[in-house]
Amino acid sequence: MTTSEHPADGPNDGARALALARELAPKFAERAAVHDERGRFPEADFADLRAAGLFGLMVPERLGGFGASFAEYARVASALARGAGSTALVFNMHASVTGALAQTPDDLVRLLGAPKSSFEARDKALEAAAGGALYGVAMSERGSGSRLSQTSTAYRRTDSGFRITGSKAFVSGAGHVDAYLVTAREADAEEPQVSYFLVPAGEGIRVEETWDSLGMRATGSQDVHFDVEVGPEALLGGVEGLTLMIAEAMPQWLVASYSAVYAGVARAAVDAAAEHLRRRGLGRLPAARARLGRADTAVAAAELVVAETAARIDTAPGDPETNRWVWRAKLTAGDTAVQVASSLLEAAGASASRRGHTLERLYRDARCGALQPATSDVCADWLGVAALGEDPDHDAEVPRW
């Protein structure tokens, strides 16, 4: 049995998690403007998420979590994003770590040569998440972005484990998480052998406050510098060189998981625009109503693409057709969010463009969807290569990962 399998009453736990997310979203929405204005990490939001037990969303029930499926995660993430996009995006990073740990099949991990100790380390990390530990992702680097094959952060074997040295950018929740999922390459290897390490926060990690972004300003996505030694249990899977392999085979946590967040942001823009039009009496204008109707339809279509993708991930993870839907979801959600938010801002008029207006903030948050890796252009190119019957992961002059 894999860690992602849970008893027959699992869907009830998924419904409970969704109910908790919907209960928290209005609280997050009330705080979002202040967090955005100050570029401040939403500590109160994450205290609420921790108290609700939602850090254990992806953790199997046997380890104290909800044992959620990918589809259940997607619904929760969208619900949180309707309250605060930044909060949902940081939560996505945590869920990406716990979800990948929980949902990578045991048989596959064993086939790759994982030692028994790696399963023990995995379960310990998942159990900690269910108990309130928050995880972040330290993958992107300045100059190479999220292309894993270009990772410059290096690791070397030591007598007691590994020494990891390097710098990461766009680390959401930096300085607030309990551990970082760090990608690093073997320092002396001729071929790029990139591995995942779960590195506890503490000595040898320095957060540099560089985050001052157009949108998603409350994610606290600072630069983080690592010069730290970790034990052998920090190597995820207990096998070196798994990162690129897993990214190509099952890209859902690196690509599709963002889609649920931006679908939620897009839906929040529809909600905010409807409220603004009612309050200002603009709902009497046919042009404004038409923009709202088109936006509602576009968001509904994106939500269906995300839901279809999530269902396929749950039933056939890693299947070529599933992976095609993974890239479709990111492209659709990212483009829909910015197009809808832009159109609705225009429908609402100049008053909605003032700093502090909900639609102005949502427009900036939505604008990040197409820019966040994999960018819309990268997704579209991947899908175009696949449509030509070629290999989109390898038939490219510039490596995808």
Side-chain angles (χ1 to χ4, degrees):
M1 181 169 108
T2 71
T3 61
S4 61
E5 294 173 334
H6 45 78
D9 63 350
N12 292 328
D13 278 346
R16 184 164 59 90
L18 181 57
L20 288 167
R22 287 173 173 167
E23 181 181 328
L24 291 175
K27 298 179 183 179
F28 296 173
E30 290 177 4
R31 304 165 181 155
V34 172
H35 292 150
D36 172 83
E37 180 185 2
R38 300 177 183 177
R40 178 195 296 171
F41 181 81
E43 293 185 37
D45 291 2
F46 279 87
D48 286 344
L49 287 165
R50 181 179 284 109
L54 285 172
F55 288 178
L57 178 66
M58 306 308 300
V59 177
E61 289 182 302
R62 68 181 179 82
L63 296 175
F66 287 87
S69 65
F70 193 95
E72 290 165 340
Y73 155 77
R75 289 190 285 270
V76 167
S78 289
L80 295 175
R82 288 182 77 168
S86 289
T87 298
L89 196 56
V90 179
F91 180 79
N92 164 76
M93 301 305 177
H94 171 82
S96 297
V97 178
T98 55
L101 285 173
Q103 295 185 344
T104 301
D106 289 3
D107 290 345
L108 173 60
V109 178
R110 289 192 189 95
L111 187 64
L112 294 171
K116 182 180 178 181
S117 59
S118 70
F119 294 98
E120 296 168 354
R122 175 201 63 189
D123 286 358
K124 183 178 179 181
L126 288 169
E127 198 167 24
L134 179 64
Y135 299 141
V137 176
M139 184 178 299
S140 295
E141 296 183 357
R142 290 184 179 270
S144 59
S146 61
R147 284 191 294 149
L148 299 172
S149 62
Q150 305 303 304
T151 297
S152 62
T153 297
Y155 71 89
R156 290 178 170 82
R157 296 177 191 83
T158 66
D159 292 340
S160 57
F162 302 92
R163 188 83 185 180
I164 300 172
T165 308
S167 298
K168 299 293 185 177
F170 301 109
V171 183
S172 297
H176 298 272
V177 301
D178 296 289
Y180 299 86
L181 180 68
V182 180
T183 49
R185 68 162 60 216
E186 185 181 3
D188 302 319
E190 294 183 4
E191 296 295 326
Q193 178 164 280
V194 184
S195 302
Y196 283 125
F197 297 88
L198 191 60
V199 180
E203 186 178 352
I205 299 174
R206 180 173 63 87
V207 176
E208 181 183 0
E209 294 191 359
T210 55
W211 186 242
D212 187 10
S213 174
L214 168 72
M216 294 296 184
R217 289 177 48 78
T219 59
S221 301
Q222 318 289 359
D223 285 20
V224 181
H225 306 282
F226 295 88
D227 186 4
V228 62
E229 187 147 351
V230 295
E233 72 283 353
L235 176 64
L236 260 65
V239 179
E240 297 176 59
L242 295 183
T243 303
L244 288 168
M245 184 188 312
I246 293 175
E248 291 177 1
M250 291 184 289
Q252 54 263 29
W253 287 111
L254 294 176
V255 181
S257 63
Y258 298 113
S259 306
V261 173
Y262 286 103
V265 170
R267 179 55 68 187
V270 174
D271 296 340
E275 173 60 24
H276 179 89
L277 294 180
R278 282 192 297 267
R279 190 173 64 251
R280 303 277 296 199
L282 299 174
R284 296 171 298 181
L285 301 177
R289 292 197 303 266
R291 283 182 181 267
L292 188 62
R294 288 193 180 95
D296 173 73
T297 301
V299 175
E303 289 168 338
L304 287 173
V305 171
V306 172
E308 174 69 16
T309 301
R312 288 174 177 269
I313 289 168
D314 284 337
T315 56
D319 182 83
E321 187 60 19
T322 296
N323 288 349
R324 189 175 291 200
W325 277 93
V326 163
W327 292 88
R328 286 170 179 159
K330 176 60 172 63
L331 175 62
T332 302
D335 282 0
T336 298
V338 65
Q339 290 162 6
V340 161
S342 177
S343 177
L344 292 175
L345 188 63
E346 188 170 342
S351 63
S353 70
R354 293 193 181 103
R355 281 282 185 173
H357 194 285
T358 302
L359 268 176
E360 183 268 342
R361 171 173 50 81
L362 288 169
Y363 169 77
R364 288 185 287 102
D365 283 351
R367 188 64 194 88
C368 296
L371 304 176
Q372 191 159 5
T375 66
S376 285
D377 281 346
V378 169
C379 292
D381 183 53
W382 192 101
L383 290 162
V385 173
L388 290 169
E390 300 174 10
D391 181 352
D393 285 318
H394 303 102
D395 293 349
E397 294 181 11
V398 178
R400 303 282 180 202
W401 296 110

